[in-house]
Amino acid sequence: IKDGIQCIMQLIELTSLTVINIVDNETDGMSSCCACIRPTPTNNSRNINSSSSSWSFAGNANTTEQISDKRVATYTQEFMNRLNNHHALDMNQLCHAAHGLSLLLIAEYYEQEDSNNHATRLLRKKYLLLDGGPDPDLWIQNAKKCQIPLQEISTVVLSHYHVDHSNGLRGAVKEIVVASREQQRQRQR
């Protein structure tokens, strides 16, 4: 007991931790491509193949630059996967970028449950939202595109109170509450 408050800390061994990027500076390469990221795809690209050992991107109007570095920004990988798998991109389905951050952390772990002198291990999941990005509407749009199960989010954490991490929580918390209440109504029926 410290200062009259009982501190309980129990570390749980996770079986997996999934991080879903809801809002970030690099969420989609088409609307937010930054010159500081290499390789950077251009409209003049002739040979883009994510399974090859190199990436081809147009360097200038007359040449094509070969880049063997596979450490490609996440949005470029998403872009390439969609091109390779679907042969077309529906830009309405891609998340949009903004200066800021919002992450959904999904922790999976086993919990021991004892009942009727019988112990069982149950797989549990906890959903934690870290920050909300800069814009409530953008957060809501990207969460829908990512098919985030809003009703499952039990904890919201704000890392610091800068607008690029906090302002989106105005929309996020509202949507989480609405989804949770709807889930409760469904259970009562």
Side-chain angles (χ1 to χ4, degrees):
I1 297 179
K2 183 178 180 180
D3 296 330
I5 299 173
Q6 185 177 1
C7 297
I8 300 173
M9 178 183 267
Q10 179 183 4
L11 296 178
I12 299 171
E13 182 179 342
L14 299 180
T15 57
S16 73
L17 177 65
T18 304
V19 178
I20 299 174
N21 187 341
I22 301 172
V23 176
D24 190 21
N25 302 355
E26 300 177 14
T27 305
D28 87 60
M30 299 300 286
S31 68
S32 62
C33 195
C34 173
C36 62
I37 302 296
R38 294 292 295 166
T40 303
T42 70
N43 291 334
N44 298 329
S45 299
R46 287 190 169 77
N47 177 21
I48 301 175
N49 184 345
S50 63
S51 62
S52 71
S53 61
S54 65
W55 295 70
S56 297
F57 297 95
N60 62 39
N62 299 323
T63 64
T64 300
E65 175 184 358
Q66 290 287 326
I67 300 169
S68 59
D69 189 354
K70 294 291 256 183
R71 294 173 295 158
V72 182
T74 302
Y75 65 74
T76 305
Q77 290 174 344
E78 178 184 359
F79 176 82
M80 295 313 306
N81 287 338
R82 287 180 186 256
L83 265 182
N84 289 333
N85 293 333
H86 305 293
H87 307 291
L89 281 177
D90 180 357
M91 294 308 293
N92 292 323
Q93 297 302 313
L94 294 176
C95 290
H96 293 282
H99 176 75
L101 183 68
S102 180
L103 302 173
L104 178 66
L105 285 72
I106 306 169
E108 291 187 24
Y109 61 95
Y110 281 101
E111 186 174 76
Q112 187 90 8
E113 186 174 276
D114 298 320
S115 61
N116 300 332
N117 297 327
H118 184 264
T120 56
R121 285 179 35 151
L122 302 171
L123 183 63
R124 303 283 190 198
K125 287 185 181 183
K126 292 286 183 182
Y127 292 74
L128 179 142
L129 178 65
L130 174 65
D131 295 343
D135 183 304
D137 294 329
L138 177 67
W139 190 93
I140 293 167
Q141 292 168 10
N142 284 355
K144 287 178 182 174
K145 290 174 185 178
C146 292
Q147 300 176 353
I148 302 297
L150 300 176
Q151 70 281 358
E152 299 296 331
I153 298 173
S154 60
T155 306
V156 177
V157 175
L158 177 61
S159 65
H160 64 287
Y161 194 65
H162 288 172
V163 70
D164 58 325
H165 290 250
S166 62
N167 198 39
L169 289 176
R170 294 184 308 129
V173 171
K174 191 182 302 181
E175 292 295 312
I176 292 167
V177 168
V178 167
S180 297
R181 287 181 179 162
E182 180 59 30
Q183 182 182 45
Q184 287 174 352
R185 276 192 224 106
Q186 295 293 330
R187 287 181 181 165
Q188 292 173 353
R189 291 182 186 173

